[in-house]
Amino acid sequence: MDLQHAARMAKTAATRLSALDGATKNEALTQIVKALEADTAAITAANRQDLAQAEKDGLAAPLLKRLRFDEAKIQEACAGLRSLIQLPDPVGVTLSALELDRDLELYKVSRPIGVIGVIFESRPDALVQISSLCLKSGNALLLKGGSEAARTNRILADTITAAATRAHLPDGWLGLLETRDEVTEMLALDRFIDLIIPRGSNEFVRYIMDHTRIPVLGHADGICHVYVDREADLQMAVRVAVDSKCQYVAVCNAAETLLVHQDAARAFLPAVRDAFTQKGVALRGCAATRRIIDIPSATDEDWRTEYLDLMLSIKVVADMDAAVDHINTFGSGHTDVIVTADRSKAVRFMDRVDSADVFWNCSSRFSDGFRYGLGAEVGISTNKIHARGPVGMEGLLIYQWRMMGKGHVVADYSGEGAKAFTHKQLHKRFGQSHAEPTP
């Protein structure tokens, strides 16, 4: 691929995409659903080839699980697309409206970012989610998937591109990179690419951040915690802890550490050990935990490890303050959970835990763009600017200030006898006539 040419085409396509109406974008998404369903046999055949090669190459079990893209996964992806179609067009929304003076109005209007570069590993379903979210939000896209999914990614990109072309989307809005060298080249294309979203290991994300001038949105680790408080319903706590760890272990929102209040530990730990044993989870714990249940010893390294596997570390803590301190010390700012019957304590926990997602009495696995009603997600961000948590369409949008006047000039508002600004909130959308009365 001539990456410079592809990036230039994406930049041009982004300009055209940003002006498309919602009906046209939804028609493209509808065509993509039809194409994915029609091409299911070919897509799954390509994926089986990738899986066979990955097993031969000794790919780790968690990555193999992410790589699988069977009929059920295709149907799940199509369901996400249908949900996305039902959402309102996020582009061109008036976020605020202010009268500066009579017939001088200032609007803040949502706009696409432009060209998004996404680098991800293993999961072909991510390609479908990312491309559909970029399409709906009016962004062009350059994608680089892992080499282990090369066949699956290629047929998915071809299927999506062909379907979108039938709906008259501009050429070049989606480009697929296929070599490692192209990633390095992409990181230097700050003239064309507006945002990079890396999805992968801590080392990989750090490498991306250190080798580009393009803004980077993402997270390095998913070290998530479940804290079981003294006032917790212990049956509920077992259910929440097991789901947080076991519902799907090879993802960034799966729990890696279980924290237990010392007053609940003796009653809770044997029950949760039995539940985890039935799921095949290997446990390790602190000294206080091991005095109650017989499991191997945990080390400081366990507290900062993202297992992405059927492994879990357990620590008994003196109180909620100690749990919060542990999370803020060893966590990655992703998703953390408290199980307690005390609402005020739950609110204090949420106020003090420095994470993008903080939950009360529910599984960490809910930290997901589709479950949040965002349509899907392009990634998870632990950043503290622009977007945080599961990044759906809102994370692919920026805003534009638009001012409408009738020959107004700044000189009239400066110096002796200067006119005063009214700065009055307006209750209307950008594009409504100056003469149209405000509701």
Side-chain angles (χ1 to χ4, degrees), residues 4-328:
Q4 285 270 353
H5 177 68
R8 192 175 291 108
M9 284 189 66
K11 193 72 171 179
T12 301
T15 302
R16 292 183 57 197
L17 272 175
S18 69
L20 287 182
D21 60 85
T24 300
K25 292 183 287 187
N26 283 342
E27 175 58 24
L29 291 169
T30 300
Q31 291 296 329
I32 291 170
V33 171
K34 292 178 180 178
L36 289 173
E37 292 177 335
D39 293 350
T40 293
I43 294 168
T44 54
N47 186 246
R48 285 193 296 271
Q49 288 183 285
D50 282 334
L51 283 167
Q53 185 63 49
E55 289 186 41
K56 184 178 177 181
D57 294 342
L59 190 69
L63 294 179
L64 275 174
K65 189 169 184 179
R66 290 184 177 195
L67 176 57
R68 186 173 301 280
F69 196 63
D70 54 18
E71 291 185 15
K73 285 280 190 180
I74 291 174
Q75 286 305 311
E76 186 178 324
C78 289
L81 287 170
R82 292 189 181 97
S83 174
L84 187 60
I85 290 168
Q86 298 304 312
L87 295 178
D89 187 356
V91 179
V93 176
T94 297
L95 305 175
S96 67
L98 189 71
E99 179 195 87
L100 302 187
D101 196 3
R102 182 177 177 83
D103 292 328
L104 182 63
E105 298 174 355
L106 177 65
Y107 295 85
K108 185 179 181 182
V109 179
S110 63
R111 300 296 298 155
I113 288 176
V115 179
I116 312 295
V118 182
I119 311 165
F120 64 100
E121 296 177 351
S122 295
R123 292 177 56 183
D125 54 332
L127 189 151
V128 180
Q129 291 181 4
I130 293 163
S131 59
S132 60
L133 285 172
C134 284
L135 192 164
K136 180 86 174 189
S137 58
N139 291 284
L141 174 65
L142 293 174
L143 275 166
K144 172 62 174 73
S147 58
E148 68 279 0
R151 298 174 185 87
T152 314
N153 288 338
R154 169 46 59 197
I155 192 170
L156 285 173
D158 288 347
T159 298
I160 290 169
T161 301
T165 299
R166 289 193 290 274
H168 308 295
L169 259 64
D171 292 341
W173 76 274
L174 189 156
L176 181 66
L177 287 63
E178 300 195 41
T179 70
R180 189 181 297 267
D181 288 343
E182 287 174 330
V183 173
T184 302
E185 188 179 353
M186 182 172 75
L187 298 181
L189 296 178
D190 51 292
R191 286 178 53 209
F192 304 109
I193 300 173
D194 299 292
L195 179 70
I196 286 184
I197 304 175
R199 296 169 56 146
S201 67
N202 184 300
E203 293 78 12
F204 171 73
V205 175
R206 294 295 177 198
Y207 175 85
I208 297 298
M209 291 177 173
D210 291 342
H211 289 81
T212 187
R213 291 181 295 182
I214 304 168
V216 177
L217 181 72
H219 76 285
D221 285 321
I223 303 174
C224 304
H225 301 78
V226 175
Y227 166 57
V228 178
D229 188 50
R230 177 173 58 189
E231 281 80 31
D233 177 318
L234 298 188
Q235 286 186 326
M236 176 194 293
V238 169
R239 278 177 49 82
V240 169
V242 169
D243 190 84
S244 295
K245 173 77 257 185
C246 302
Q247 197 275 328
Y248 189 10
V249 298
V251 286
C252 58
N253 59 12
E256 306 293 11
T257 297
L258 178 64
L259 303 173
V260 184
H261 193 291
Q262 61 184 0
D263 293 349
R266 192 159 295 279
F268 176 71
L269 287 176
V272 81
R273 174 201 57 198
D274 293 346
F276 278 129
T277 299
Q278 290 178 11
K279 296 287 188 178
V281 178
L283 302 175
R284 54 200 61 187
C286 68
T289 299
R290 298 177 67 232
R291 284 194 288 270
I292 300 172
I293 56 175
D294 184 17
I295 59 174
S297 178
T299 67
D300 279 352
E301 191 59 31
D302 285 303
W303 310 133
R304 58 175 61 93
T305 297
E306 183 181 20
Y307 299 116
L308 296 172
D309 206 349
L310 289 169
M311 302 177 70
L312 183 79
S313 55
I314 305 176
K315 183 176 184 179
V316 173
V317 294
D319 51 27
M320 189 184 77
D321 288 345
V324 170
D325 288 344
H326 180 98
I327 292 169
N328 288 340

